[in-house]
Amino acid sequence: QVQLVESGGGLAQAGASLRPACAFSGRSFSSYAMGWFRQAPGKEREFVAAVGWNSGSGIYADNVKGRFTVSRDHAKNTVYLQMNSLQPGATAVYYCAARNGVVRQDQQAYEYWGQGTQVTVSS
């Protein structure tokens, strides 16, 4: 059974950076594609970024391209989401997810989910 535990959210001012992390355990980390999703208050959960098992270039939602970077550390079984130039619109609960297969954007493709970490950006 895969377990995912997010950390590293918090409160930031507009223009600042945060780097949430997601620790993976229970199976072979290198077999899983990892995704980040977010859910803002009153909105549906949406795709943010994802990275394949081979740590190639990530894929991103259009509204975060150039500001967010997804990466993974196989030695630590951890995936990161570097978020730069944060704006209040980024306020949401951020979830990481894992799937045993190729990287995908659709959340229905992901089998395992973390509990989420809150990111709040003030203006």
Side-chain angles (χ1 to χ4, degrees):
Q1 184 76 5
V2 170
Q3 293 183 329
L4 304 172
V5 179
E6 298 99 332
S7 62
L11 178 64
Q13 291 188 331
S17 299
L18 285 173
R19 192 180 75 150
C22 174
F24 176 105
S25 63
R27 295 283 171 85
S28 175
F29 182 56
S30 61
S31 297
Y32 286 77
M34 302 296 296
W36 283 98
F37 298 81
R38 67 186 180 187
Q39 187 167 22
K43 295 187 177 181
E44 295 186 351
R45 190 163 57 188
E46 64 177 5
F47 170 75
V48 177
V51 61
W53 62 270
N54 61 353
S55 301
S57 297
I59 58 174
Y60 299 90
D62 287 342
N63 57 1
V64 305
K65 281 181 182 177
R67 297 185 299 111
F68 290 14
T69 303
V70 60
S71 63
R72 61 194 296 165
D73 184 336
H74 286 268
K76 297 181 178 180
N77 286 358
T78 299
V79 62
Y80 302 96
L81 183 67
Q82 178 68 45
M83 306 189 296
N84 298 331
S85 302
L86 283 165
Q87 296 302 314
T91 295
V93 177
Y94 284 72
Y95 298 91
C96 73
R99 71 179 306 270
N100 190 346
V102 299
V103 64
R104 295 272 293 268
Q105 291 192 20
D106 50 314
Q107 55 187 295
Q108 294 85 347
Y110 286 79
E111 305 155 80
Y112 302 101
W113 292 81
Q115 83 287 352
T117 185
Q118 177 70 47
V119 170
T120 303
V121 184
S122 62
S123 57

